[in-house]
Amino acid sequence: MKIALIVIIIACVAYYFYNSANNQKNSVVNQEQGSVFLAENAQKEGVKTTASGLQYQVLQAGSGDRHPTATSTVRVHYHGTLINGTVFDSSVERGETISFPLNRVIPGWTEGVQLMKVGDKFRFFIPSGLGYGNRSTGKIPAGSVLIFDVELFEIQ
């Protein structure tokens, strides 16, 4: 019994280190591809880049005049993809808006949504450093640039 437990522990540790090494390799490749994408994207008409490196494009202007703060709770619709077009999450596809505090999401969202007014629809191009960095999460590989279409419905 003890031997089986030791073998399981060793296998788990080996698996952890194997995944960590692959994450690091994939992260470097994804960051390189992301840098090229963002450099080209920054040249496109209507794309603006903030000091942090967040890129955004106004898809639809709203009529509100108030912007959320970093501690505001907002209600939005969003559609998230990778630069290759893979959808990793979408409230639009689920058919339900979502509410959350801006200080509880990735930094790219916190910064970007503060630029919006109610009724605005923006496309955010979020560098990995403002997203999940060198971590994989769900369908998002480590080092990935994230693209979100976000529509702001309400500042609560």
Side-chain angles (χ1 to χ4, degrees):
M1 186 72 154
K2 288 182 181 180
I3 293 175
L5 183 59
I6 291 171
V7 169
I8 290 171
I9 290 171
I10 291 171
C12 289
V13 169
Y15 179 76
Y16 170 79
F17 284 111
Y18 174 78
N19 273 350
S20 293
N22 278 340
N23 246 3
Q24 291 302 322
K25 286 183 216 170
N26 291 339
S27 179
V28 169
V29 169
N30 289 336
Q31 286 178 7
E32 289 170 356
Q33 291 173 348
S35 292
V36 170
F37 172 85
L38 291 169
E40 292 173 358
N41 195 59
Q43 304 305 312
K44 293 182 178 175
E45 187 175 337
V47 174
K48 298 175 183 169
T49 305
T50 68
S52 71
L54 172 71
Q55 294 179 355
Y56 68 97
Q57 185 176 28
V58 177
L59 302 176
Q60 170 186 305
S63 58
D65 58 356
R66 192 173 127 230
H67 296 269
T69 66
T71 58
S72 295
T73 296
V74 296
R75 186 169 61 88
V76 301
H77 245 328
Y78 68 90
H79 182 77
T81 64
L82 302 173
I83 61 176
N84 66 7
T86 300
V87 177
F88 57 83
D89 195 10
S90 177
S91 71
V92 174
E93 288 181 2
R94 288 190 300 275
E96 295 180 3
T97 59
I98 185 167
S99 295
F100 53 82
L102 283 180
N103 60 359
R104 300 236 175 124
V105 292
I106 59 174
W109 266 77
T110 302
E111 178 183 356
V113 175
Q114 289 181 79
L115 301 170
M116 301 177 75
K117 305 178 304 267
V118 171
D120 280 347
K121 185 173 184 180
F122 282 21
R123 179 167 292 149
F124 297 125
F125 305 91
I126 302 176
S128 65
L130 296 175
Y132 294 100
N134 292 331
R135 295 178 292 131
S136 294
T137 182
K139 296 179 183 177
I140 302 171
S144 293
V145 167
L146 309 175
I147 302 171
F148 283 98
D149 287 354
V150 179
E151 185 171 2
L152 179 60
F153 287 101
E154 180 180 12
I155 303 168
Q156 300 172 334

